[in-house]
Amino acid sequence: MKIRKANIDDAASIAKVHVDSWKSTYVGILPEAFLQTLTYEPKRWQENIRKQTIYIAEDQSGHIVGFAIGGKERTGNYSEYEGELYAIYLLEEHQGNGIGKRLFQAVVNQLHQKRINSMVVCVLAENKAAYFYEAMGGKLIHRTQLNIGGHELPTLVYGWKDIAFYPL
């Protein structure tokens, strides 16, 4: 498995991972009607790639199987935390193989380079990824609600006060 920065040519593959991972991860959490509205349109991801660093995971065949994005904390609600892991998404068949840890590390390394040493992540309470963030040392710091497609969903916020212990 190779972790690298995404380029504009990766947008369509990232869109596919995004939609397919949502459709497998959020079944029973988000309404099926909402999940069916998701599209593989790459335009959003082309814009995201131009604006920020996205890390992708490629398998041995060069297929993108996951991605992660992070940067400065966006809400301003967590003043003790400078950074944020915005997202990690993996195709279902590639989960549980250590790829998420490698993508997590890529974002942590990026934050270190920007002299950001703490971070948060928001995860839907019913998403089993919450266990991943706990295993990565995240501490539950807040419970809130997130509106997705007009539905208020219970959300957990995990925080790392010091990500310096993750090796560069």
Side-chain angles (χ1 to χ4, degrees), residues 28 56 82 109 119 148 155 166:
I56 59 170
E82 301 170 85
N109 290 347
M119 74 176 184
I148 299 178
T155 304
Y166 288 97

Coordinates of all heavy atoms in Angstrom, one line a residue, residues 28 56 82 109 119 148 155 166:
G28 N -28.2 2.3 7.5 CA -28.8 2.2 8.8 C -28.6 3.4 9.7 O -29.2 3.5 10.8
I56 N -3.9 10.0 -0.2 CA -4.6 8.9 -0.7 C -3.8 7.6 -0.5 O -2.6 7.6 -0.3 CB -4.9 9.0 -2.2 CG1 -3.6 9.2 -3.0 CG2 -5.9 10.1 -2.5 CD1 -3.8 9.0 -4.5
E82 N -5.8 23.0 17.9 CA -5.5 23.8 16.7 C -5.8 23.1 15.4 O -6.1 23.8 14.4 CB -4.0 24.1 16.7 CG -3.4 24.8 17.9 CD -1.9 24.8 17.9 OE1 -1.4 25.7 17.2 OE2 -1.3 23.9 18.5
N109 N 1.5 14.1 10.4 CA 2.7 14.6 9.9 C 2.6 16.0 9.3 O 3.4 16.9 9.5 CB 3.4 13.7 8.9 CG 3.9 12.4 9.6 OD1 4.0 12.3 10.8 ND2 4.2 11.4 8.7
M119 N -5.3 18.1 17.9 CA -6.3 18.0 16.9 C -7.6 17.4 17.4 O -7.6 16.8 18.5 CB -5.8 17.3 15.6 CG -5.7 15.8 15.8 SD -5.3 15.0 14.2 CE -5.3 13.3 14.7
I148 N -27.0 16.3 8.6 CA -26.6 15.7 7.3 C -27.9 15.4 6.5 O -28.7 14.7 7.0 CB -25.8 14.4 7.4 CG1 -24.5 14.7 8.2 CG2 -25.5 13.8 6.1 CD1 -23.6 13.5 8.4
T155 N -23.3 13.1 17.3 CA -21.9 13.1 16.9 C -21.0 13.2 18.1 O -21.3 13.9 19.1 CB -21.7 14.4 16.0 OG1 -22.7 14.3 14.9 CG2 -20.3 14.4 15.4
Y166 N 3.2 11.0 18.1 CA 3.2 10.2 16.8 C 4.5 10.5 16.0 O 4.7 11.7 15.7 CB 2.0 10.6 16.0 CG 0.7 10.0 16.6 CD1 -0.1 10.8 17.4 CD2 0.4 8.7 16.4 CE1 -1.2 10.3 18.0 CE2 -0.8 8.2 17.0 CZ -1.6 9.0 17.8 OH -2.7 8.5 18.4

